[in-house]
Amino acid sequence: RPVGKDMVHALSTLPRERVEVACFSLNPNPKRGVQGDDTMKWHHMMVKACDNQFHDVSGVSYSAAAQQINEAKPNILINLDGWTSAPLINEIFILGAAPVQINFKGFAGTLGLPEVQGLVSDRVATPPEYQDYYTERFVMLQGSYHYNGHDHLYPQVHSGGMRLPPKSEVAAGKFSMYQAARETELLSERATRAGSVLVCNFNQFYKFVPEFWGLWMGLLRSHPDALFWLLSWTVAGKQSLLSHASNAGVPNEQFEFSTFFKEDSHVLAKGVCDLFLDANPYASHGTAADALYTGVPLLTAPAETMASRVSTSLCHATHQGSLLTSRNTQDYRDLAAALLSSPSKLRSIRQSNLGGGTIDATAAFDSKAWSLGFTTALSMLWDAFSSSPPSSPSAHPHIVTAGAP
């Protein structure tokens, strides 16, 4: 899910008696008749979330963009992209377009820029003892820093309580997005059989590295009833993975590929997965949140980097907690093997994860609590800067909001 869609709802939750929002976009505004209705809808929602102060700076140099931002006199400027897709954004921050500049959401890690003073995070994603590896000071939120907004994005998921569809409905294509340019791929009948365990990872293929792919293949070889469900991002990528699997001694019949699901129901469709096997060194972020929202047990493999720890942060902020957080590769393998051998254990964990239908009240999905913590952090950042000499270390302190250990 694009960061921009998350931010539509994240910005909308901020209390306007404490926060005024203005947005500067490096992407050109969409045009009616060129972009589709859905794109136009989201753009209008973003403009509204930005208090109608939405500025297109896509057609100017980074120095001109920095000047335009500076003339708007923001107290705090938030970098939502980092080194992800538009590195030019960092040139704007190097020029110091605002007195306080922070990194949030788009790039899970340090930007390595002294001009960016803060990194919005939490104690699991970036443990305090890792501070020396970051140029930013930590801005710690309680629970998970990762805004999800599922209560806004998918209100129908919890209307009347969690009701996951049977696997047969997913296999029948009830939730699939049909595209003229590509043949629709669905779950096979195998995935609906009693006794089969449907494990999944819905991340893009670039997150799969040889070490973890080999680990997964070993698990599939030793558990022939397990089926590995992936999204069919590209035909070439799918064929490459199947070729590597065959070379590892895993038959193609143990794989399930499906094309994309409808946006309003993809969380429900993916929720029929029995066990989500996360990756390392780049873990699931929004994809992990989607799985946890429907109670799917999520096995994580955190390392030292922030990018590898976001899914673990989300787990700790839900009912699952640290139950399926592996300590190392061998621990990951042992936990996965034990779970694949016990479908009843997987069902028990899912029931516990849903916690009687209170998933929206957990720290990972409570949008109101996140908004309060984020707003408090912004206020603390500005108060510290405005009450200290700019060159003083106290102008850019570490921030820990109430409730964060």
Side-chain angles (χ1 to χ4, degrees):
R1 187 171 58 249
V3 170
K5 288 189 175 182
D6 282 347
M7 293 309 299
V8 165
H9 296 295
L11 296 176
S12 298
T13 67
L14 301 180
R16 290 312 194 262
E17 68 274 14
R18 299 177 62 187
V19 176
E20 180 183 349
V21 179
C23 301
F24 298 85
S25 174
L26 293 178
N27 293 317
N29 289 338
K31 296 180 179 179
R32 188 170 300 280
V34 178
Q35 275 79 26
D37 291 340
D38 188 63
T39 299
M40 296 304 302
K41 180 193 78 171
W42 278 100
H43 177 68
H44 290 311
M45 290 171 63
M46 175 59 83
V47 171
K48 183 178 179 181
C50 297
D51 296 343
N52 292 313
Q53 298 185 73
F54 188 91
H55 308 278
D56 180 353
V57 294
S58 63
V60 302
S61 67
Y62 63 82
S63 57
Q67 181 176 351
Q68 183 176 340
I69 294 170
N70 183 259
E71 289 173 352
K73 300 187 182 305
N75 300 120
I76 300 173
L77 185 62
I78 303 174
N79 189 327
L80 292 173
D81 200 75
W83 298 109
T84 304
S85 60
L88 195 64
I89 191 174
N90 296 318
E91 302 285 354
I92 295 171
F93 283 75
I94 289 171
L95 290 174
V100 178
Q101 303 185 136
I102 61 176
N103 174 18
F104 172 60
K105 187 72 169 168
F107 187 79
T110 181
L111 297 179
L113 303 176
E115 295 84 3
V116 177
Q117 297 91 8
L119 170 64
V120 180
S121 186
D122 59 69
R123 67 180 182 89
V124 177
T126 54
E129 58 267 29
Y130 290 3
Q131 173 61 69
D132 289 346
Y133 301 105
Y134 292 77
T135 55
E136 303 92 342
R137 299 296 183 95
F138 289 159
V139 179
M140 297 288 202
L141 303 188
Q142 59 179 309
S144 177
Y145 84 96
H146 193 277
Y147 177 81
N148 298 304
H150 283 57
D151 51 342
H152 297 287
L153 288 166
Y154 313 111
Q156 75 283 5
V157 173
H158 276 262
S159 58
M162 173 66 69
R163 291 190 179 91
L164 290 175
K167 291 177 182 176
S168 59
E169 288 188 357
V170 180
K174 179 177 179 179
F175 306 98
S176 294
M177 178 190 298
Y178 292 89
Q179 299 172 297
R182 182 154 180 212
E183 182 180 354
T184 302
E185 298 179 57
L186 304 173
L187 287 181
S188 71
E189 184 272 336
R190 293 188 305 265
T192 67
R193 295 175 189 167
S196 66
V197 179
L198 190 59
V199 299
C200 61
N201 186 304
F202 298 120
N203 287 299
Q204 295 197 53
F205 297 153
Y206 67 76
K207 289 190 177 183
F208 301 166
V209 297
E211 179 186 8
F212 261 72
W213 183 258
L215 189 159
W216 291 336
M217 295 307 100
L219 290 167
L220 291 175
R221 283 195 305 271
S222 58
H223 296 83
D225 290 331
L227 302 174
F228 199 10
W229 183 15
L230 306 169
L231 287 182
S232 187
W233 290 95
T234 64
V235 174
K238 170 186 172 181
Q239 293 305 320
S240 178
L241 291 181
L242 289 175
S243 176
H244 282 290
S246 181
N247 292 338
V250 179
N252 288 358
E253 289 72 28
Q254 275 190 269
F255 285 86
E256 296 286 339
F257 283 90
S258 58
T259 42
F260 304 131
F261 298 100
K262 299 171 186 175
E263 185 171 10
D264 63 352
S265 53
H266 79 97
V267 169
L268 278 176
K270 296 172 186 174
V272 303
C273 171
D274 296 313
L275 172 64
F276 192 112
L277 294 177
D278 204 8
N280 177 291
Y282 203 114
S284 308
H285 296 182
T287 310
D290 291 344
L292 290 167
Y293 198 59
T294 52
V296 177
L298 175 62
L299 177 58
T300 68
E304 294 181 340
T305 64
M306 182 179 182
S308 74
R309 303 180 65 87
V310 175
S311 59
T312 303
S313 162
L314 288 165
C315 287
H316 280 240
T318 65
H319 297 299
Q320 181 172 299
S322 60
L323 180 65
L324 300 183
T325 300
S326 62
R327 296 168 294 176
N328 49 50
T329 302
Q330 185 58 51
D331 192 35
Y332 183 100
R333 182 182 291 108
D334 292 343
L335 280 168
L339 292 167
L340 290 174
S341 301
S342 180
S344 62
K345 178 66 173 176
L346 290 172
R347 289 192 294 271
S348 175
I349 294 173
R350 182 190 288 272
Q351 291 172 359
S352 176
N353 283 355
L354 292 176
T358 59
I359 192 72
D360 284 312
T362 63
F365 297 106
D366 187 337
S367 294
K368 185 176 181 180
W370 179 89
S371 174
L372 176 61
F374 189 73
T375 303
T376 298
L378 296 179
S379 297
M380 293 171 70
L381 283 166
W382 181 247
D383 288 346
F385 174 81
S386 59
S387 61
S388 305
S391 59
S392 169
S394 61
H396 302 291
H398 297 289
I399 298 293
V400 181
T401 61

